Amino acid sequence: MALVEVKVPDIGDFDEVAVIELLVKVGDSVKAEQSLITVESDKASMEIPCSHAGVVKEIRVKIGDKVKQGSTVLVLEAHGLATDAAPVQVPPAAPAQAPAAQSLTAAAPILAEVTAVAAATPGATVPAHEPSASAVGLPHASPSVRKFARELGVPLEQVPGKGPKGRITLEDVQAFTRSVMSGSVQTQAQAAGAASGQSGAGLGLIPWPKVDFAKFGPIERKEMSRIKKISGANLLRNAIMIPAVTNHDDADITDLEAFRVSTNKENEKSGVKVTMLAFLIKACVVALKKYPDFNSSLDGDALIYKNYWHIGFAADTPNGLMVPVIKDADKKGVLQISQEMSELAKKAREGKLSPAEMSGATFTISSLGGIGGKYFTPIINAPEVAILGVCKSSFEPVWDGKQFVPRLMLPLSLTWDHRVIDGASAARFNAFLGQILGDLRRVLL
């Protein structure tokens, strides 16, 4: 037996994630790859697996802690390892007063700077008896809560903290937001707007309607899932901040659908089912290469043109919408893309997608083809500058110059950022995409 420190593996592009659930306790026997804790980023939740089999001797994290790659989760008495295989690192002993003295010494320049800032900032001082505010007038909240409040546009200094020592929690921000939207609480900006003849937070909006729904009939209240809460804040920001325009068009996929059906029959034994979305991904890559503005991102007054083509696809899950990403789609065939999409969609439904599997997209496709509808207006997934919405294909009579013939038409809805793309470019992109879907041999050109 040997004591082993189980650490957080690669979690993608995120510096830190919050621990939201402990799945084991001291004394539990665990297997290799068994989930130990659940962590949550600003995009999704994921489970951290165990690297060895053994017995849990010590848990070094608690709910609410922030962890990153390399952080120690727990100490395990591992089975089948030599006693010196992976020793636990124990910090050397030190005098009891040394750490405190060292911390105070290191913090002295920072405290002096903070004190100077506080003295120079009117109204920044805080009474000694008030534990709910910091000494420089900043709200007492963690970085993740500050980020969440920024995404919602919530002024943290006006949120009453109900955590330990007045700390503002995620629930406090959500409760404040609900109060503002119901009209029971006004922010300072709303109050100032009302005093000047406005009734919205700087936008001249009237307050959110406050309705007692129960007086009209029976109701049931259900809290939204974490994914919906997080994605809702991002969608609201993107919908407000991006000047988006949507072009609608149709693509003739009669021949492509026939090819897809025959391909599935030929590859029936392989177990890989080719979907129309896989062909769409390949066609979009060709269109993105021809019109690189659609594969760019805004960076201040400059455009970042990406020489890689990672395509995100919206996946419907029980917990809400998630967007896995097919990396380097230009280097993969339709069969490989289909298989990878199937695996990612399954992980999305099970809530096991990692941040790395949902990051890096340069363009996104949102498909409602299996459900129905004709056209819709998808919201751009910042920092991307365009998104393609696809609805259910249907047979329509099309004039071929001599007569009307039945053709399978696929509705396309392309939403684009008008700061980067103009209407003519969008129309050309949609038309070119339709040509490729109508004759996939153009992909070879």
Side-chain angles (χ1 to χ4, degrees), residues 135-170:
V136 292
L138 294 175
H140 185 31
S142 67
S144 62
V145 172
R146 294 180 186 278
K147 180 178 180 181
F148 182 66
R150 284 197 304 271
E151 290 176 343
L152 292 180
V154 172
L156 267 184
E157 65 275 5
Q158 298 175 42
V159 178
K162 297 181 180 179
K165 297 184 179 181
R167 189 180 186 88
I168 300 172
T169 65
L170 192 69

mmCIF file of all heavy atoms in Angstrom, residues 135-170:
data_model
loop_
_atom_site.group_PDB
_atom_site.id
_atom_site.type_symbol
_atom_site.label_atom_id
_atom_site.label_comp_id
_atom_site.label_asym_id
_atom_site.label_seq_id
_atom_site.Cartn_x
_atom_site.Cartn_y
_atom_site.Cartn_z
ATOM 1 N N ALA A 135 -12.607 47.096 3.094
ATOM 2 C CA ALA A 135 -12.017 48.364 3.514
ATOM 3 C C ALA A 135 -11.821 49.332 2.372
ATOM 4 O O ALA A 135 -11.482 50.480 2.589
ATOM 5 C CB ALA A 135 -10.676 48.104 4.198
ATOM 6 N N VAL A 136 -11.979 48.912 1.143
ATOM 7 C CA VAL A 136 -11.805 49.827 0.017
ATOM 8 C C VAL A 136 -13.107 50.038 -0.716
ATOM 9 O O VAL A 136 -13.135 50.522 -1.826
ATOM 10 C CB VAL A 136 -10.724 49.288 -0.968
ATOM 11 C CG1 VAL A 136 -9.364 49.319 -0.329
ATOM 12 C CG2 VAL A 136 -11.074 47.882 -1.423
ATOM 13 N N GLY A 137 -14.223 49.664 -0.123
ATOM 14 C CA GLY A 137 -15.523 49.910 -0.728
ATOM 15 C C GLY A 137 -15.892 48.909 -1.800
ATOM 16 O O GLY A 137 -16.862 49.109 -2.503
ATOM 17 N N LEU A 138 -15.140 47.806 -1.946
ATOM 18 C CA LEU A 138 -15.456 46.795 -2.950
ATOM 19 C C LEU A 138 -16.379 45.747 -2.335
ATOM 20 O O LEU A 138 -16.234 45.397 -1.167
ATOM 21 C CB LEU A 138 -14.177 46.111 -3.452
ATOM 22 C CG LEU A 138 -13.203 46.992 -4.223
ATOM 23 C CD1 LEU A 138 -11.943 46.210 -4.549
ATOM 24 C CD2 LEU A 138 -13.849 47.510 -5.488
ATOM 25 N N PRO A 139 -17.327 45.227 -3.081
ATOM 26 C CA PRO A 139 -18.223 44.200 -2.552
ATOM 27 C C PRO A 139 -17.436 42.959 -2.144
ATOM 28 O O PRO A 139 -16.450 42.585 -2.775
ATOM 29 C CB PRO A 139 -19.164 43.907 -3.720
ATOM 30 C CG PRO A 139 -19.069 45.102 -4.610
ATOM 31 C CD PRO A 139 -17.678 45.616 -4.464
ATOM 32 N N HIS A 140 -17.897 42.326 -1.081
ATOM 33 C CA HIS A 140 -17.240 41.125 -0.559
ATOM 34 C C HIS A 140 -17.790 39.908 -1.299
ATOM 35 O O HIS A 140 -18.844 39.375 -0.960
ATOM 36 C CB HIS A 140 -17.528 41.026 0.946
ATOM 37 C CG HIS A 140 -16.805 39.893 1.626
ATOM 38 N ND1 HIS A 140 -15.580 39.428 1.209
ATOM 39 C CD2 HIS A 140 -17.151 39.134 2.715
ATOM 40 C CE1 HIS A 140 -15.184 38.447 2.000
ATOM 41 N NE2 HIS A 140 -16.126 38.241 2.916
ATOM 42 N N ALA A 141 -17.088 39.495 -2.371
ATOM 43 C CA ALA A 141 -17.563 38.389 -3.206
ATOM 44 C C ALA A 141 -16.383 37.717 -3.876
ATOM 45 O O ALA A 141 -15.326 38.316 -4.073
ATOM 46 C CB ALA A 141 -18.549 38.892 -4.253
ATOM 47 N N SER A 142 -16.572 36.454 -4.244
ATOM 48 C CA SER A 142 -15.517 35.690 -4.915
ATOM 49 C C SER A 142 -15.427 36.096 -6.380
ATOM 50 O O SER A 142 -16.361 36.685 -6.928
ATOM 51 C CB SER A 142 -15.828 34.190 -4.816
ATOM 52 O OG SER A 142 -16.988 33.889 -5.567
ATOM 53 N N PRO A 143 -14.313 35.776 -7.052
ATOM 54 C CA PRO A 143 -14.172 36.122 -8.481
ATOM 55 C C PRO A 143 -15.272 35.522 -9.348
ATOM 56 O O PRO A 143 -15.746 36.153 -10.286
ATOM 57 C CB PRO A 143 -12.796 35.537 -8.842
ATOM 58 C CG PRO A 143 -12.046 35.525 -7.554
ATOM 59 C CD PRO A 143 -13.066 35.236 -6.494
ATOM 60 N N SER A 144 -15.700 34.276 -9.037
ATOM 61 C CA SER A 144 -16.748 33.660 -9.859
ATOM 62 C C SER A 144 -18.078 34.398 -9.709
ATOM 63 O O SER A 144 -18.815 34.568 -10.680
ATOM 64 C CB SER A 144 -16.923 32.191 -9.473
ATOM 65 O OG SER A 144 -17.337 32.075 -8.123
ATOM 66 N N VAL A 145 -18.370 34.871 -8.490
ATOM 67 C CA VAL A 145 -19.605 35.627 -8.270
ATOM 68 C C VAL A 145 -19.519 36.971 -8.977
ATOM 69 O O VAL A 145 -20.489 37.453 -9.566
ATOM 70 C CB VAL A 145 -19.871 35.810 -6.763
ATOM 71 C CG1 VAL A 145 -21.041 36.759 -6.524
ATOM 72 C CG2 VAL A 145 -20.167 34.463 -6.116
ATOM 73 N N ARG A 146 -18.335 37.605 -8.935
ATOM 74 C CA ARG A 146 -18.153 38.883 -9.635
ATOM 75 C C ARG A 146 -18.367 38.713 -11.140
ATOM 76 O O ARG A 146 -19.011 39.547 -11.791
ATOM 77 C CB ARG A 146 -16.749 39.441 -9.378
ATOM 78 C CG ARG A 146 -16.494 39.835 -7.940
ATOM 79 C CD ARG A 146 -15.072 40.381 -7.789
ATOM 80 N NE ARG A 146 -14.767 40.621 -6.402
ATOM 81 C CZ ARG A 146 -15.125 41.702 -5.731
ATOM 82 N NH1 ARG A 146 -15.798 42.654 -6.360
ATOM 83 N NH2 ARG A 146 -14.831 41.847 -4.466
ATOM 84 N N LYS A 147 -17.827 37.618 -11.693
ATOM 85 C CA LYS A 147 -17.980 37.367 -13.129
ATOM 86 C C LYS A 147 -19.448 37.154 -13.472
ATOM 87 O O LYS A 147 -19.961 37.687 -14.459
ATOM 88 C CB LYS A 147 -17.160 36.149 -13.534
ATOM 89 C CG LYS A 147 -17.274 35.815 -15.018
ATOM 90 C CD LYS A 147 -16.410 34.618 -15.373
ATOM 91 C CE LYS A 147 -16.543 34.307 -16.859
ATOM 92 N NZ LYS A 147 -15.744 33.126 -17.256
ATOM 93 N N PHE A 148 -20.142 36.363 -12.643
ATOM 94 C CA PHE A 148 -21.564 36.094 -12.873
ATOM 95 C C PHE A 148 -22.360 37.393 -12.832
ATOM 96 O O PHE A 148 -23.241 37.623 -13.665
ATOM 97 C CB PHE A 148 -22.059 35.115 -11.805
ATOM 98 C CG PHE A 148 -23.507 34.718 -11.970
ATOM 99 C CD1 PHE A 148 -23.918 33.985 -13.066
ATOM 100 C CD2 PHE A 148 -24.453 35.080 -11.026
ATOM 101 C CE1 PHE A 148 -25.243 33.611 -13.220
ATOM 102 C CE2 PHE A 148 -25.780 34.710 -11.164
ATOM 103 C CZ PHE A 148 -26.165 33.975 -12.263
ATOM 104 N N ALA A 149 -22.037 38.265 -11.866
ATOM 105 C CA ALA A 149 -22.747 39.543 -11.747
ATOM 106 C C ALA A 149 -22.474 40.437 -12.950
ATOM 107 O O ALA A 149 -23.374 41.115 -13.458
ATOM 108 C CB ALA A 149 -22.334 40.246 -10.455
ATOM 109 N N ARG A 150 -21.225 40.437 -13.443
ATOM 110 C CA ARG A 150 -20.886 41.245 -14.626
ATOM 111 C C ARG A 150 -21.686 40.786 -15.836
ATOM 112 O O ARG A 150 -22.174 41.606 -16.623
ATOM 113 C CB ARG A 150 -19.387 41.157 -14.926
ATOM 114 C CG ARG A 150 -18.510 41.978 -14.016
ATOM 115 C CD ARG A 150 -17.120 42.160 -14.623
ATOM 116 N NE ARG A 150 -16.474 40.908 -14.929
ATOM 117 C CZ ARG A 150 -15.710 40.234 -14.086
ATOM 118 N NH1 ARG A 150 -15.525 40.707 -12.852
ATOM 119 N NH2 ARG A 150 -15.133 39.105 -14.432
ATOM 120 N N GLU A 151 -21.819 39.453 -16.004
ATOM 121 C CA GLU A 151 -22.552 38.924 -17.158
ATOM 122 C C GLU A 151 -24.022 39.321 -17.119
ATOM 123 O O GLU A 151 -24.649 39.537 -18.161
ATOM 124 C CB GLU A 151 -22.414 37.399 -17.203
ATOM 125 C CG GLU A 151 -21.010 36.924 -17.554
ATOM 126 C CD GLU A 151 -20.873 35.416 -17.494
ATOM 127 O OE1 GLU A 151 -21.743 34.773 -16.881
ATOM 128 O OE2 GLU A 151 -19.887 34.886 -18.050
ATOM 129 N N LEU A 152 -24.579 39.427 -15.904
ATOM 130 C CA LEU A 152 -25.980 39.812 -15.765
ATOM 131 C C LEU A 152 -26.171 41.320 -15.693
ATOM 132 O O LEU A 152 -27.307 41.803 -15.756
ATOM 133 C CB LEU A 152 -26.580 39.174 -14.503
ATOM 134 C CG LEU A 152 -26.751 37.652 -14.505
ATOM 135 C CD1 LEU A 152 -27.364 37.202 -13.192
ATOM 136 C CD2 LEU A 152 -27.612 37.197 -15.666
ATOM 137 N N GLY A 153 -25.055 42.056 -15.540
ATOM 138 C CA GLY A 153 -25.170 43.501 -15.383
ATOM 139 C C GLY A 153 -25.660 43.900 -14.005
ATOM 140 O O GLY A 153 -26.283 44.958 -13.835
ATOM 141 N N VAL A 154 -25.383 43.085 -13.002
ATOM 142 C CA VAL A 154 -25.839 43.355 -11.636
ATOM 143 C C VAL A 154 -24.796 44.185 -10.889
ATOM 144 O O VAL A 154 -23.621 43.792 -10.830
ATOM 145 C CB VAL A 154 -26.095 42.030 -10.876
ATOM 146 C CG1 VAL A 154 -26.387 42.298 -9.406
ATOM 147 C CG2 VAL A 154 -27.238 41.274 -11.515
ATOM 148 N N PRO A 155 -25.177 45.318 -10.303
ATOM 149 C CA PRO A 155 -24.237 46.117 -9.496
ATOM 150 C C PRO A 155 -24.022 45.444 -8.145
ATOM 151 O O PRO A 155 -24.892 45.489 -7.270
ATOM 152 C CB PRO A 155 -24.953 47.464 -9.365
ATOM 153 C CG PRO A 155 -26.405 47.154 -9.518
ATOM 154 C CD PRO A 155 -26.509 45.963 -10.415
ATOM 155 N N LEU A 156 -22.872 44.816 -7.946
ATOM 156 C CA LEU A 156 -22.619 44.048 -6.729
ATOM 157 C C LEU A 156 -22.692 44.895 -5.465
ATOM 158 O O LEU A 156 -23.070 44.401 -4.400
ATOM 159 C CB LEU A 156 -21.251 43.377 -6.817
ATOM 160 C CG LEU A 156 -21.194 41.951 -7.372
ATOM 161 C CD1 LEU A 156 -19.786 41.412 -7.296
ATOM 162 C CD2 LEU A 156 -22.144 41.030 -6.639
ATOM 163 N N GLU A 157 -22.307 46.162 -5.581
ATOM 164 C CA GLU A 157 -22.311 47.016 -4.392
ATOM 165 C C GLU A 157 -23.721 47.234 -3.838
ATOM 166 O O GLU A 157 -23.889 47.687 -2.708
ATOM 167 C CB GLU A 157 -21.649 48.357 -4.700
ATOM 168 C CG GLU A 157 -22.376 49.228 -5.719
ATOM 169 C CD GLU A 157 -22.025 48.883 -7.158
ATOM 170 O OE1 GLU A 157 -21.277 47.891 -7.339
ATOM 171 O OE2 GLU A 157 -22.495 49.572 -8.073
ATOM 172 N N GLN A 158 -24.730 46.893 -4.630
ATOM 173 C CA GLN A 158 -26.109 47.063 -4.170
ATOM 174 C C GLN A 158 -26.757 45.741 -3.751
ATOM 175 O O GLN A 158 -27.929 45.709 -3.376
ATOM 176 C CB GLN A 158 -26.946 47.692 -5.286
ATOM 177 C CG GLN A 158 -26.474 49.075 -5.695
ATOM 178 C CD GLN A 158 -27.251 49.619 -6.874
ATOM 179 O OE1 GLN A 158 -28.462 49.471 -6.943
ATOM 180 N NE2 GLN A 158 -26.545 50.263 -7.799
ATOM 181 N N VAL A 159 -25.986 44.647 -3.816
ATOM 182 C CA VAL A 159 -26.527 43.335 -3.466
ATOM 183 C C VAL A 159 -26.237 43.045 -1.993
ATOM 184 O O VAL A 159 -25.074 43.046 -1.581
ATOM 185 C CB VAL A 159 -25.915 42.230 -4.344
ATOM 186 C CG1 VAL A 159 -26.446 40.858 -3.945
ATOM 187 C CG2 VAL A 159 -26.194 42.502 -5.814
ATOM 188 N N PRO A 160 -27.255 42.804 -1.175
ATOM 189 C CA PRO A 160 -27.013 42.448 0.226
ATOM 190 C C PRO A 160 -26.435 41.041 0.327
ATOM 191 O O PRO A 160 -26.996 40.093 -0.209
ATOM 192 C CB PRO A 160 -28.407 42.527 0.864
ATOM 193 C CG PRO A 160 -29.367 42.346 -0.269
ATOM 194 C CD PRO A 160 -28.710 42.904 -1.489
ATOM 195 N N GLY A 161 -25.293 40.910 1.004
ATOM 196 C CA GLY A 161 -24.651 39.610 1.156
ATOM 197 C C GLY A 161 -25.172 38.861 2.360
ATOM 198 O O GLY A 161 -25.227 39.408 3.471
ATOM 199 N N LYS A 162 -25.543 37.610 2.166
ATOM 200 C CA LYS A 162 -26.069 36.789 3.263
ATOM 201 C C LYS A 162 -25.140 35.643 3.613
ATOM 202 O O LYS A 162 -25.499 34.772 4.404
ATOM 203 C CB LYS A 162 -27.450 36.250 2.876
ATOM 204 C CG LYS A 162 -28.493 37.352 2.669
ATOM 205 C CD LYS A 162 -29.852 36.777 2.303
ATOM 206 C CE LYS A 162 -30.873 37.891 2.103
ATOM 207 N NZ LYS A 162 -32.213 37.368 1.713
ATOM 208 N N GLY A 163 -23.940 35.644 3.022
ATOM 209 C CA GLY A 163 -22.978 34.609 3.353
ATOM 210 C C GLY A 163 -22.222 34.952 4.623
ATOM 211 O O GLY A 163 -22.523 35.943 5.302
ATOM 212 N N PRO A 164 -21.221 34.143 4.985
ATOM 213 C CA PRO A 164 -20.422 34.420 6.184
ATOM 214 C C PRO A 164 -19.771 35.804 6.109
ATOM 215 O O PRO A 164 -19.182 36.168 5.101
ATOM 216 C CB PRO A 164 -19.365 33.309 6.162
ATOM 217 C CG PRO A 164 -19.978 32.218 5.346
ATOM 218 C CD PRO A 164 -20.817 32.891 4.310
ATOM 219 N N LYS A 165 -19.914 36.584 7.188
ATOM 220 C CA LYS A 165 -19.355 37.940 7.288
ATOM 221 C C LYS A 165 -19.836 38.836 6.153
ATOM 222 O O LYS A 165 -19.105 39.689 5.658
ATOM 223 C CB LYS A 165 -17.822 37.885 7.313
ATOM 224 C CG LYS A 165 -17.265 37.157 8.527
ATOM 225 C CD LYS A 165 -15.743 37.210 8.548
ATOM 226 C CE LYS A 165 -15.198 36.490 9.775
ATOM 227 N NZ LYS A 165 -13.705 36.541 9.831
ATOM 228 N N GLY A 166 -21.084 38.622 5.726
ATOM 229 C CA GLY A 166 -21.651 39.483 4.700
ATOM 230 C C GLY A 166 -21.192 39.178 3.294
ATOM 231 O O GLY A 166 -21.388 39.988 2.384
ATOM 232 N N ARG A 167 -20.586 38.025 3.075
ATOM 233 C CA ARG A 167 -20.089 37.661 1.741
ATOM 234 C C ARG A 167 -21.262 37.486 0.779
ATOM 235 O O ARG A 167 -22.277 36.871 1.111
ATOM 236 C CB ARG A 167 -19.295 36.367 1.815
ATOM 237 C CG ARG A 167 -18.554 36.002 0.529
ATOM 238 C CD ARG A 167 -17.802 34.696 0.721
ATOM 239 N NE ARG A 167 -16.978 34.375 -0.427
ATOM 240 C CZ ARG A 167 -15.730 34.776 -0.602
ATOM 241 N NH1 ARG A 167 -15.166 35.542 0.322
ATOM 242 N NH2 ARG A 167 -15.035 34.445 -1.671
ATOM 243 N N ILE A 168 -21.128 38.027 -0.435
ATOM 244 C CA ILE A 168 -22.163 37.910 -1.461
ATOM 245 C C ILE A 168 -21.996 36.583 -2.184
ATOM 246 O O ILE A 168 -20.934 36.292 -2.736
ATOM 247 C CB ILE A 168 -22.082 39.080 -2.460
ATOM 248 C CG1 ILE A 168 -22.268 40.416 -1.733
ATOM 249 C CG2 ILE A 168 -23.143 38.938 -3.546
ATOM 250 C CD1 ILE A 168 -22.018 41.622 -2.624
ATOM 251 N N THR A 169 -23.048 35.782 -2.193
ATOM 252 C CA THR A 169 -23.004 34.469 -2.834
ATOM 253 C C THR A 169 -23.731 34.520 -4.182
ATOM 254 O O THR A 169 -24.389 35.507 -4.511
ATOM 255 C CB THR A 169 -23.661 33.398 -1.945
ATOM 256 O OG1 THR A 169 -25.063 33.714 -1.814
ATOM 257 C CG2 THR A 169 -23.026 33.379 -0.561
ATOM 258 N N LEU A 170 -23.609 33.419 -4.922
ATOM 259 C CA LEU A 170 -24.301 33.309 -6.207
ATOM 260 C C LEU A 170 -25.807 33.416 -6.001
ATOM 261 O O LEU A 170 -26.516 34.058 -6.792
ATOM 262 C CB LEU A 170 -23.944 31.965 -6.867
ATOM 263 C CG LEU A 170 -24.342 31.786 -8.328
ATOM 264 C CD1 LEU A 170 -23.515 32.691 -9.225
ATOM 265 C CD2 LEU A 170 -24.135 30.336 -8.747
#
